Amino acid sequence: MVERLVPDGLWELFQRVVPEAPSRPQRGGRRRHGDREVLAAIVFVATSGCTWQQLPSASFGPSGGTAHRRFAEWTKVRVWAKLHRLVLDELGARGELDWSRCAIDSVNMRALKKGCLTGPNPVDRGKYGSKVHLITERTGLPLSAGISGAHLHDSQALTPLEKGIPPIRSRRGRRRRRPGGKLHADKGYDYDHLPHWLRGRAIRHRIARKGIESSTRLGRHRWTIERTMAWLAGCRRLHRRYERKAENFLAFTSIACTLICYRRLTK
């Protein structure tokens, strides 16, 4: 099961971003579980949606408590964001990223335990939740992800999300971090300051205008990000937000984005 959840290619990339294991000068004690086994356990929790206590340690080796501690350690040093960027670099070097059209959107997740970056959801009877914000390239691969409270308006997330796109390798030339074509968005982003800000960064945009046109016309290009949101929901740990800490919820979001991109890398 470890090799199925963490293939050799993904493991080789993970080894480039994971920090070295701390030494034990006092010697003795239990043997430290291997990083690959722990990574497989974390991926199992992310994809199955089970709790750390329900993790079948007989299949992986480490217990749920061990996997959770290692997950927290790696989250603190931003291992998941680095792994996502590394997979994007591999895709960019192969010419698998299509920058000609990008799209931005968000999806609501109910927060069962509240916590940081949660808020009353105006479309869910005021129940507490979080939003996952995404920017994807033309085929739906996530380039940048972020989270916020469910009460935050989508328009407020565009600027930090676009700035959060890392410099990604290209097949030829310098690294890229801006859409080469149009950035597509729905009416939630139709505010005067956003087109002005995008033009200042030399980014063409196509935002549906309120009261003038239907959002359905943008469906010809925005269906890919809707499909990506469905892929995220396939990562069962993101079906609901169980983490009180925002960094842990963002870590699971990064893991889901990494798995989506890695599937394209192995096609």
Side-chain angles (χ1 to χ4, degrees), residues 57-259:
S57 57
S59 301
F60 301 99
S63 64
T66 299
H68 181 262
R69 284 193 296 271
R70 201 80 61 88
F71 170 79
E73 292 174 8
W74 291 341
T75 299
K76 190 174 181 179
V77 295
R78 295 180 54 80
V79 165
W80 313 114
K82 295 176 183 177
L83 182 61
H84 181 209
R85 176 177 173 177
L86 192 57
V87 175
L88 287 175
D89 274 344
E90 293 294 324
L91 288 168
R94 297 184 184 185
E96 295 286 341
L97 296 179
D98 189 346
W99 294 83
S100 60
R101 291 187 188 273
C102 293
I104 182 173
D105 207 348
S106 68
V107 62
N108 289 300
M109 309 286 183
R110 185 175 294 184
L112 300 183
K113 299 181 180 180
K114 298 186 179 180
C116 300
L117 294 184
T118 63
N121 189 347
V123 298
D124 192 17
R125 297 172 293 173
K127 296 185 180 296
Y128 269 69
S130 289
K131 277 185 180 181
V132 175
H133 304 268
L134 281 185
I135 287 184
T136 62
E137 47 86 75
R138 184 167 194 158
T139 62
L141 296 179
L143 301 175
S144 177
I147 62 173
S148 70
H151 60 290
L152 185 78
H153 199 275
D154 288 348
S155 61
Q156 300 181 42
L158 188 148
T159 299
L161 201 61
E162 197 280 330
K163 289 183 177 180
I165 300 177
I168 301 172
R169 291 173 56 188
S170 300
R171 177 177 288 182
R172 295 182 299 272
R174 298 181 298 175
R175 291 177 176 267
R176 308 191 52 161
R177 60 180 309 169
R178 297 181 186 176
K182 289 183 179 179
L183 177 65
H184 292 261
D186 59 21
K187 296 180 182 180
Y189 302 88
D190 184 24
Y191 288 86
D192 293 338
H193 68 283
L194 292 180
H196 179 74
W197 183 83
L198 290 171
R199 285 192 294 267
R201 293 177 64 84
I203 299 175
R204 293 187 297 160
H205 59 275
R206 180 68 174 88
I207 301 176
R209 294 169 293 176
K210 297 177 183 177
I212 298 178
E213 57 187 330
S214 172
S215 297
T216 57
R217 294 187 59 188
L218 294 177
R220 293 173 296 176
H221 305 296
R222 290 186 64 257
W223 68 269
T224 54
I225 193 170
E226 301 291 346
R227 182 186 60 182
T228 304
M229 294 298 185
W231 287 342
L232 283 183
C235 187
R236 302 300 296 175
R237 190 73 181 193
L238 296 180
H239 189 65
R240 293 286 189 272
R241 175 176 169 175
Y242 299 97
E243 287 70 35
R244 291 189 178 92
K245 294 183 178 180
E247 57 267 25
N248 289 347
F249 185 61
L250 181 60
F252 278 119
T253 304
S254 297
I255 291 173
C257 293
T258 300
L259 296 177

